[in-house]
Amino acid sequence: MQTGHVTTPFGRRAMSLALVRSQMAIENPRPDARIEKWKVFRDVCEARERLGIQDRALAVLDALLTFHPQAELDPSQGLVVFPSNAQLSVRAHGITETTLRRQLAALVDAGLILRRDSPNGKRYVHRNRDGEVEQAYGFDLTPLLARATELALMAQDVAAERARFRRAREALTICRRDVRKLISAAVEEGAAGNWDHVEAEYVSILARLPRHPNRSQVETTLDEMELLREEVLNILEIQLKTEEVHGNAIQNDRHIQNSNTESINELEPSSGKEQGESLVDKPLTRDEAKEIQKTGREPIKAFPLGMVLRACPQITDYGPGGRIEHWRELMKAAIVVRSMLGVSPSAYEEACNAMGPENAAAAMACILERSNFITSAGGYLRDLARRSERGEFSLGPMLMALLKANTSGHLKSA
């Protein structure tokens, strides 16, 4: 097997068996072999990390290639360039001589160039009478030509790996967004399900992802997030099918009851004795039925009490005995907070009329939670009431933002 010439460095630069091995591994290129020098340079740039070289080394290699007069690397034209360190520094954007020496050594260790040192270590050339180069001492670019195919394949593999990594990150971003919004919609609209567990699993999956992950870690997280998305969709599918069955039954029941033109169902609200019980499924009262007939829109329904207390834990301190177990206790605590924050009775009454007493109390809990960022609690509550009357406001996003902030705070403190 023909191999490239093994050369030893001049002076105090040490020779190593690794350097011998790398030089012997470089086969002499065929006499007719040629490669466009800037194409192979682009391949080296693409495969920079795998070759173990830095950006400064690429700048030095770029400068070395500019001293090769031809556009192609052609062994018949000679592949040794012999610029001085001063000339190299200028073309390498003015890097210092110390940095230049270090990056030249890195290019040699990476097997991209060879040293052809003269007896005295200087870089120069011997020419014949016709001006043709007979012997040159400097840096040999032969490895770039000999490894051109290898470098091209390496660059293609790096580009493909980068594309796979980018697609994996994009897929994870979309899947993460899907899960986040599905959970928010389910909690906001009171869908049945253990959403606390789903939320905890969502946070846990993201917590296991490193700050600067590789492709394998991203794909593992993507697999876990896709499974969670399937679980959420299955829960919602069961919920929607159940609601559809119940809706058909209720529609049939109402059709029978509407045959009596003089009867109006007077449905009383449920007691809501258990902590966190949702009022979403509470039957309509006569006043609510009249409100729907008058305004054409259904009154805003309350969120689960447990969710409100998790999103706004500070309101618990103002409940009877420092605890809140029922909606009535939350509304009593909201009255105390209203007075403490300087919200006028009229502003709170407007909110109760616009949102309903439960949601008005929950809004006060949210305002208390963000009181450090709100200049006028009364003005803020009035604005929420006006937006609620126009159908432009929902407590859901506010509660979910506070719930997420509190969950993140607990994770950081842990």
Side-chain angles (χ1 to χ4, degrees), residues 251-263 265:
Q251 184 177 3
N252 294 335
D253 185 56
R254 287 181 177 176
H255 176 72
I256 296 173
Q257 293 177 358
N258 286 339
S259 62
N260 185 356
T261 58
E262 296 180 356
S263 65
N265 290 332

Side-chain angles (χ1 to χ4, degrees), residues 352-409:
C352 289
N353 293 334
M355 307 178 187
E358 295 91 352
N359 281 322
M364 284 305 310
C366 292
I367 293 174
L368 173 64
E369 204 70 23
R370 303 186 68 250
S371 58
N372 293 337
F373 307 98
I374 298 175
T375 305
S376 172
Y380 188 79
L381 185 61
R382 287 184 187 273
D383 179 64
L384 295 184
R386 286 192 293 267
R387 289 166 56 194
S388 181
E389 288 179 343
R390 297 194 300 266
E392 299 174 355
F393 170 72
S394 171
L395 273 175
M398 182 183 293
L399 288 172
M400 289 306 302
L402 290 173
L403 190 62
K404 181 178 180 181
N406 289 333
T407 301
S408 300

Side-chain angles (χ1 to χ4, degrees), residues 23 86 124 137 167 174 209 225 228 270 318 332-333 389 407:
Q23 292 186 33
Y124 56 87
Y137 297 102
R167 287 194 294 268
I174 294 173
L209 185 66
M225 193 65 72
L228 183 61
S270 57
Y318 300 91
K332 288 181 180 180
E389 288 179 343
T407 301

